[in-house]
Amino acid sequence: MNRWLFSGLLLSLVGIARAQPPRGPLVVSPEVHADHTVTFRYLAPTAREVKLSGQFEKMAVPLTKNEQGIWSVTVGPVKPDIYPYSFQVDGVTVMDPANVAFFPNERFKASLVDVPGDTPLIHALKDVPHGTVSYEYYPSVEGTTGSLVVYTPPGYDQNPTKKYPVYYLISGTTDTEETFYKVGRTNLILDNLLAEGKTKPMIIVMPYGNIAARITEQKGGAKPADPVVRDDADAVNRANAFGDDLIQNIIPYIEKNYRTLANRENRAIGGFSRGGGQTLRAAFGHMDTFAWVCAYSSYLSPAEMERSYRTIASNPAQTNKQLKLLWVSVGSDDFLYKGTLEFMEYLKAKSVNFKSRITDGGHTWMNVKKYVAETAPLLFQ
């Protein structure tokens, strides 16, 4: 009996050993230095080539290998911000296995590096009162279950009678409901603005925007390809499907389970990229639902405006009365810059009031954080 027990123990230990990941020298990556330079490292003893790709570099940067098989490179100084990056190992793009911070996305997985400023940036973790971030699931279309990330402001749980306005904030193409939270650091931006007295307390609801993907996944299928054209029939139909889910399912769920001020004057909607297009379509199609609208790096074409939302421009006095804020922003290097400018020109020609912001940079979450920090103080005033 003892022999059998001993043999079983040995087999168990062998199984555990085989289940353990391979171990090697400790790798620290990324390592952010006081002068804002950053060292990246990747353990790959048998790799022939490793390169670093990041939104802080214009092109991939080669790493060099030491005798332990650790590849490394130091870049910068890097302008303080949060950036996605990845490694190319013999032509294959991979995340940084030494880094727990990653970019939530359907189609790619990147790691994140946070380069802090000498003065804390608006998205920095500071010693201020903090709100709460919760994950929620709600009954959605075609019998599926939808997912949300919800931010409630500091003090929400301390006063059970107080009600709050709500900002519905939608991520871009291939992003998930976590991206505004984990990459955009929206919760920390709001915490810091509230601590400075620059914005009103609000609930922020961050939904998953790809309804078609969720339906196929939960019914055992594969995610469909993304629309090729941003405003073709397929893209518009998918955006409208999200808008229907928002109006019919998400908003009722939030207003049932959270203490909200449930009227249009206390509902805002905003989004980045595809989420910005969804924002504009949902807002212009439901003017009785939202009074505050923020389009980050996004637009609707004049043709679509004339085809689907003609009343917005045909009666600008009514539109300007209904919308407390219409915000449109874009980076000067954004691939959507031209279309966004055309949208601004269309609104201007039709006498529709809006606030605009053109920044440096491209279609990036570095810009999105700026837009959130600038628009949040304008909401619900």
Side-chain angles (χ1 to χ4, degrees):
M1 178 65 72
N2 288 338
R3 186 170 65 251
W4 284 110
L5 289 173
F6 182 70
S7 299
L9 178 60
L10 283 178
L11 288 172
S12 298
L13 291 174
V14 169
I16 292 172
R18 287 177 178 172
Q20 295 298 315
R23 299 180 66 85
L26 176 66
V27 177
V28 177
S29 180
E31 184 179 1
V32 181
H33 305 289
D35 62 356
H36 300 155
T37 60
V38 185
T39 299
F40 296 88
R41 299 181 179 92
Y42 189 85
L43 176 63
T46 62
R48 297 183 300 275
E49 180 183 59
V50 179
K51 293 182 179 180
L52 168 73
S53 293
Q55 289 189 343
F56 43 80
E57 293 288 341
K58 293 182 178 179
M59 59 185 66
V61 180
L63 283 71
T64 57
K65 184 171 68 171
N66 67 11
E67 65 279 359
Q68 292 181 297
I70 298 175
W71 298 75
S72 66
V73 67
T74 299
V75 300
V78 176
K79 182 181 178 182
D81 213 320
I82 300 171
Y83 300 91
Y85 73 94
S86 58
F87 296 115
Q88 297 171 21
V89 183
D90 292 339
V92 179
T93 300
V94 298
M95 296 169 61
D96 186 346
N99 185 358
V100 298
F102 69 95
F103 192 122
N105 192 277
E106 294 173 340
R107 303 293 183 184
F108 68 86
K109 293 294 181 289
S111 298
L112 296 171
V113 57
D114 187 350
V115 182
D118 296 327
T119 300
L121 302 179
I122 191 61
H123 60 258
L125 178 64
K126 301 179 184 179
D127 185 15
V128 299
H130 293 289
T132 300
V133 175
S134 304
Y135 285 72
E136 292 279 357
Y137 299 93
Y138 68 95
S140 185
V141 298
E142 298 189 24
T144 62
T145 298
S147 48
L148 307 166
V149 175
V150 182
Y151 165 85
T152 50
Y156 178 86
D157 294 327
Q158 277 68 55
N159 187 347
T161 62
K162 185 174 181 179
K163 296 184 177 182
Y164 296 84
V166 184
Y167 187 19
Y168 294 88
L169 194 54
I170 312 155
S171 291
T173 305
T174 76
D175 290 329
T176 75
E177 68 276 17
E178 291 187 301
T179 313
F180 258 110
Y181 163 43
K182 290 190 173 180
V183 184
R185 304 290 172 90
T186 300
N187 59 315
L188 298 182
I189 291 174
L190 265 292
D191 290 343
N192 294 333
L193 289 172
L194 285 166
E196 296 171 10
K198 293 183 177 179
T199 191
K200 285 193 172 182
M202 66 186 77
I203 297 169
I204 299 181
V205 178
M206 295 160 271
Y208 176 58
N210 194 343
I211 301 298
R214 187 177 71 229
I215 291 172
T216 57
E217 277 190 314
Q218 294 188 11
K219 293 183 180 295
K223 289 181 180 179
D226 301 316
V228 177
V229 181
R230 300 187 71 84
D231 56 358
D232 66 3
D234 184 28
V236 172
N237 288 338
R238 293 198 201 189
N240 290 336
F242 170 80
D244 291 343
D245 189 41
L246 176 67
I247 300 298
Q248 298 169 17
N249 299 309
I250 296 175
I251 292 177
Y253 177 86
I254 292 298
E255 294 182 351
K256 179 182 178 181
N257 291 281
Y258 288 83
R259 300 193 311 274
T260 70
L261 295 167
N263 55 59
R264 68 179 304 276
E265 287 74 21
N266 286 288
R267 290 194 205 99
I269 184 170
F272 168 51
S273 192
R274 179 188 67 187
Q278 291 170 325
T279 288
L280 293 169
R281 292 178 178 105
F284 292 163
H286 302 86
M287 292 289 282
D288 59 339
T289 304
F290 305 101
W292 313 81
V293 182
C294 299
Y296 307 144
S297 301
S298 53
Y299 65 91
L300 296 185
S301 69
E304 184 176 352
M305 289 294 297
E306 288 295 303
R307 182 176 64 250
S308 301
Y309 309 106
R310 184 172 295 175
T311 56
I312 299 298
S314 65
N315 192 348
Q318 178 68 14
T319 298
N320 294 336
K321 182 179 178 181
Q322 288 179 297
L323 293 180
K324 305 292 185 182
L325 173 68
L326 174 57
W327 167 285
V328 185
S329 53
V330 71
S332 57
D333 295 324
D334 196 313
F335 71 95
L336 298 182
Y337 176 76
K338 181 180 178 182
T340 305
L341 253 58
E342 289 176 351
F343 179 53
M344 292 181 187
E345 291 299 324
Y346 172 85
L347 296 174
K348 188 182 301 182
K350 299 296 185 178
S351 300
V352 176
N353 295 338
F354 67 98
K355 291 183 181 293
S356 63
R357 177 83 158 95
I358 297 176
T359 59
D360 296 332
H363 201 73
T364 69
W365 279 88
M366 290 84 79
N367 266 340
V368 176
K369 292 196 297 294
K370 294 178 186 176
Y371 303 152
V372 171
E374 292 181 19
T375 52
L378 303 178
L379 300 177
F380 313 119
Q381 299 299 325

